[in-house]
Amino acid sequence: MNIVSKNGCLYVSFDKYIDEDSIDSFKQEIDNAYKSEEAKDMVLDFSGSKDIPDDGVGLALGRYKHVLENDGHMYITGAKGNVDKILKEHNVYDVIPSLKDMKDIKL
């Protein structure tokens, strides 16, 4: 996982399979970076991940709750294959907008 903060936005990119054993550490690392960087907005980029367990939905929705508490915006990008399927099955896109291209981000 790679985390970069720029202009008040935390960009989180996943570079491998997100497994159940790594979910909690990812959540903690993202939350710590979000607080320490004083970010308002967040982008989760799943382009480097080929799969995600159902618990990964909680990773996305839990971070969305933090972003909402800060009156921020959150987006998902790069989800494909099984990751996209899981997010669709759990109606995540009804809550967190999905972007095809990072240029479409409106913060």
Side-chain angles (χ1 to χ4, degrees):
M1 181 174 66
N2 186 31
I3 301 175
V4 175
S5 180
K6 184 176 178 183
N7 299 328
C9 183
L10 199 70
Y11 296 88
V12 181
S13 56
F14 299 95
D15 55 3
K16 66 174 188 166
Y17 172 72
I18 301 168
D19 59 29
E20 291 179 16
D21 295 333
S22 62
I23 293 285
D24 287 338
S25 64
F26 284 171
K27 287 178 184 178
Q28 187 173 22
E29 192 173 341
I30 294 167
D31 290 348
N32 288 343
Y34 188 72
K35 289 176 189 172
S36 70
E37 295 295 332
E38 298 180 3
K40 181 176 178 181
D41 305 309
M42 187 180 300
V43 175
L44 299 181
D45 181 358
F46 289 99
S47 60
S49 184
K50 293 185 182 357
D51 205 358
I52 188 172
D54 288 341
D55 292 353
V57 172
L59 180 145
L61 293 177
R63 295 337 93 214
Y64 180 70
K65 180 182 174 190
H66 294 305
V67 170
L68 281 184
E69 289 170 354
N70 287 321
D71 295 321
H73 298 89
M74 184 169 172
Y75 299 95
I76 291 176
T77 189
K80 54 190 176 278
N82 197 46
V83 175
D84 187 47
K85 178 182 171 190
I86 294 289
L87 295 175
K88 283 180 181 174
E89 285 176 355
H90 289 86
N91 300 315
V92 173
Y93 295 133
D94 291 347
V95 179
I96 305 170
S98 173
L99 301 172
K100 292 194 186 279
D101 193 320
M102 296 291 277
K103 295 182 297 188
D104 296 331
I105 295 175
K106 295 179 176 89
L107 303 174

